[in-house]
Each structure stands twice: as C-alpha cells, then as structure tokens.
Amino acid sequence: MGKTITEKIFETHQRDVPSGNNVVLDIDVVMCHEITTPIAINDLQERGMDRVFDPAKIKVVIDHVTPSKDSKTATQAKILRDWARRQNIKDFFDVGANGVCHALFPEKGFIRPGYTVIMGDSHTCTHGAFGAFAAGIGTTDLEVGILKGVCSFRLPETMKINIVGELSPGVYAKDVILKIIKELTVNGATDKVMEFCGPVVEAMSMESRMTLCNMAIEAGATCGVCPPDRVTAEYLWPFIQDEYDSIEAAVEDFKKWHSDVDASYVGEITLDVSDLAPQVTYGFKPDEVKDIMELEGSSVDQIYMGSCTNGRIEDLRAGAEILKGRKIADNVRAILSPATPKIYNQALEEGLIKIYMDAGFCVTNPTCGACLGMSNGVLASGEVCASTTNRNFNGRMGKGGMVHLMSPYSAAAAAVKGCITDPRNV
Amino acid sequence: MKTFGGPALFLDRSDINTDEIIPAKYLTENSKLALKPYILEDLKLPGFDPLADTKEAAVIVTRSNFGCGSSREHAVWVFEVNDINVVIGTSFARIFRQNMFNCGMLAIELSEDDIDALFSLGGNVTISVDIDKETITAKGKREMTCSFVLNSFDKALVQAGGWLAYADKKY
C-alpha cells in the first residue's frame, strides 16, 4: 500500500519505536524563541548538560517581545542570546535582524521538503507548507531536541483536505482555513496531519500555503502539509541552486515527498471555495466562524495586521489595496507589524508602508507582540480587535478583550469602515 | 515518580485552552514556581474561583480537548507547582497531553459515560490512581472505579520521571 507524505518522512527519520504507537524521530531543524527556550536552557545548565546536539541545526530568534519591554523580557532575551553565543549557534536573529519565527525561518531557506522540524511554539505547523513534518512541542521536548536531536510522536494519521473551485476576488487563504476549521471543529484533527491539496492549493503562493498550514493547530492537528512542487522550488531556489541543476530537477526530486496515489487517509474532505465569502470568527474559539456579512456593522476598537498567520508581503499588499488613498475611521486605531525585516523593507520599496501610514496606521517593528497580548497593541477589557492573527481565545490579546479573526483584506476594510464589514463592498 | 491522586477539582467545560490555564503575560517568568498564583486565571466558569478552588486540589476532572491552543508547557507546570499531577478528561490536545507525560504527569482519557459518572458523584470527591492496574477510584457521596488505558511509552515516561530522564538514558 502507498504512503502519505508524513509516513514517508517518519520512515526516513525513524530513530526508535519505543511502543507500537510511538516513534522517535531524528530532527532536522530545532527552532527556538525567547519565551519557551530559556527555561530549557536553565534546566540543562542546572543538570550540568549545557550542550547542543548540532549548532547548525538549531535556529534561534527573539521574536515574541522585541525589543524587550521590561526586565523580565530582557532577561529572557539575554538567556537566549548568551546561550546562542556560548553554543556557537550561527543562525541567531537578534534585534534589527529578527522577525516572527514562522515568517523569518522560511525566508532564510531553513525549511525543505521532507524535513522534520520542531519548535516550542504551536504554530510550527506553518512549515508543513514546504512538504515538511513540522510540529509544535513543549519545553521538555524542546530540551531533548536541543540535547539529542530527537523527538517522540504518536504516529499521526493523515486527513486529506481537497480544495477545489476558484477563489473569488476578496477571498483568501485565511478565509479558506477558517472555513475548514469551522467544518472540522477545534479538535476535529487532533493527532492528525492535515494534507492540503487540490487545484486551489496548487495555485497558491508559498505565503498562502503557510497561512493554510499555520492554522492547522486550531483544528487540533499535529501539522499541516502541502505537497512540494514548482512553487516550493521557486521559493527555495536561492538556497538550493547549488544542489540542483535546474528548478525542474528540484521539482522532480521533490516528488519523492508526495503522497502515493494509493496512500491511505483517515478522512477526506473536499471543499469547493468558488462561492466562499470572506470569513470571520465571532466567539472565543477559532471554529466559531461565520460569513462576514453576518457580522456586518459589529463594532471594533482596534485593527491588528501581522503575525505568523498574515504578516507576509502578500498580506500587506492585500490590505493596501483597500487602504490606498483612504483613512481609517475615527473610532478605531490600527496597527501593522510586518512579520520580518525583509517584508518590512519590501513593503517600503513597494510604497505599502506609506499607504498604511497615510491611512493612519501605526507601523511597528516585526514581533509577535499583540497577537498573544504581550506587547505592542494589548487590548483593554471590553475592547474588540479585528485581527489577522490566529487565536480568538478569551483574553488572548488582553484580559477582557475580544478578537475577531479575519483576512488582511477584511481587516483593512474594518479599519476604513470602523466596524466589521464585507470587504468586497468597500 | 510523582504521587498521583487526592481531592478532585471539576471543570465542567470542553476546549479549556492554554491561555485560560495560564495567560501569555505570565510567560515572561523564568521559573516554574513563579507561575503558581496564576493557575486558571482566565477561566470563567459559574462560581469558579481559581485560587480558592485549586488550593486543595490534586486531580482535575474535565471534559474534552483540554489544553488546546498554545504549546506552552507553563500550562502543565502551573498544575505541577500547585501539586496537581493528574488531569482526567475524555480527550486532550496533543501538545498538552505530551507535555504532561514529558513531565512525568498523568493525562488520563476516560469514556464520556465514565466522565459523566465522575461529575455526578456528588460531595467532595477524592480520586486515587493505580498506574499498574490502570484504574481510578473516586469517592464522593458515592464511589466508583473505572479503568483507563496507558500506552506503554507514556507509562515509561511517568515511571522514569519524564522524557528528559528517559531520553538521556536511551539516545
């Protein structure tokens, strides 16, 4: 019988099978940020085990609260910075070079088809967009990953998500994944990998595929994954051109990381997106999703654009389409955080930053910040944010605050109208 | 190995997420103990008082998909430093469940019927856990015993005192 992408990756990375259902994998990339890593570093030091399995396979960034906002976050940054230097980790990204991990590491070419990737961050599933197995893990798993280069997983089953039809103008990958989470519910894919395929996925940029895979965790999935193809090869070409004679050769090679036609899936859903409207969340769970028309006129206080879900260049372009020549409404404040310095620079060159600033946006440095209510746009109790981020949990962006998740295009429309609105009419 | 069992705290809702268990603003702490006062701070349930209600608790009984959301192991540590080493529910989010076993703690899955029965025991409920027999016994106004399944790897992690101790010996 054929194998899925994930089964192929598990087979090639298997170090041990400690029980019938658990596999210990060799890990290709261990990624670290300043929120979940310092406790692992301190613990390794206390145990007299302050070492790393391979400094070249460890990628480190300060991204959640940066530049540091207080003594505690400065200490976290310092622990990470000192450790990266001490362990001779070259790929360390500090203030000035840092950005949101799941946007920064892909643009550095660190993720390749067939890789195993772990990070102490639930949105690590983003990197499945490259045909990798990428999973969020806790600090103990991270600690073992740093020390031994291995991580244990229950053998995940794969759910096939076939996306067909054609996206209408004003409808984006974010709307597609919100719709899928609504269908699956917040634990519909627990212990499963969501394999996104079909013509809509094939037509998507890497940025859009990352948005899709990024929110797989919101349906409980271990990882999202897209079959690596020409789009993947073209994105990675600057980093792989020494390994392949041509892009065609890379595309051909990547096919070894495609699921076989007779692979077995635990479930298969087909979503025709031709009539899909822009989507928005309304409650405190990411599966509480409606067509945006149903929330027309709902009040908002803040607009937030950024994060590992939607802080990439095409997201900024989508928002700018609406904002160009317009002002944000008097009753709202709006914040843009381009996800990486490269994206920020590109947005400057394309004139996007000017569009946002002329519209009345505050443009911040790249950081996770407000998405999880840590800095740069925390809500007060009773306030509501139209946000391009990934979680609408109670208090996520600040105690007592509420978040409506939506696409950058919809968020820009909310900024202009001062309330939730169908962006196709703005 | 940790000790398992004692007074139970009932959290009657599904999908209790990591931000409710320990809000992100406390993730800037660099010690597990510092998390102690913030347990379940953002969980809103009728009549639930996080600090008072967790004071005596050693076991949490809840519904489905407990611990969904973030990968933060802080959501496990905040239980650990409050001497809660067992969470019992119908299902868990993957990362939370793994974090529990990685810390040598127990995430026990029971059927919906057994969870319903636990919730309807009445009175102050005390739960004991027998890892070898894979059973729990709960005593409230009534008493019940039910069995659970612990996969052999998860059991080995609990017996080793967590994943780091296990992995350091083996890999």
Side-chain angles (χ1 to χ4, degrees), chain A residues 270-291:
Chain A
T270 296
L271 178 68
D272 187 333
V273 296
S274 301
D275 297 325
L276 184 68
Q279 302 290 295
V280 61
T281 62
Y282 60 89
F284 294 111
K285 295 197 299 168
D287 60 357
E288 294 176 329
V289 174
K290 288 183 173 175
D291 288 348

Side-chain angles (χ1 to χ4, degrees), chain A residues 177-286:
Chain A
I177 189 63
L178 285 173
K179 178 72 174 177
I180 291 169
I181 294 163
K182 178 186 184 179
E183 300 289 319
L184 291 177
T185 76
V186 287
N187 61 350
T190 301
D191 283 315
K192 297 180 180 72
V193 169
M194 291 164 73
E195 184 175 320
F196 299 105
C197 50
V200 175
V201 180
E202 286 161 25
M204 277 182 182
S205 64
M206 284 313 300
E207 284 85 351
S208 288
R209 293 178 190 184
M210 283 189 260
T211 301
L212 269 190
C213 291
N214 173 272
M215 289 190 72
I217 181 70
E218 310 313 333
T222 305
C223 183
V225 70
C226 299
D229 59 7
R230 169 168 289 275
V231 177
T232 323
E234 284 175 357
Y235 183 100
L236 288 174
W237 187 243
F239 310 102
I240 61 173
Q241 53 188 336
D242 294 339
E243 296 166 38
Y244 296 100
D245 292 337
S246 62
I247 288 184
E248 283 67 32
V251 173
E252 200 54 39
D253 186 47
F254 286 176
K255 285 181 183 165
K256 68 180 180 232
W257 301 115
H258 285 192
S259 294
D260 296 325
V261 285
D262 56 343
S264 94
Y265 293 91
V266 67
E268 186 165 345
I269 62 170
T270 296
L271 178 68
D272 187 333
V273 296
S274 301
D275 297 325
L276 184 68
Q279 302 290 295
V280 61
T281 62
Y282 60 89
F284 294 111
K285 295 197 299 168

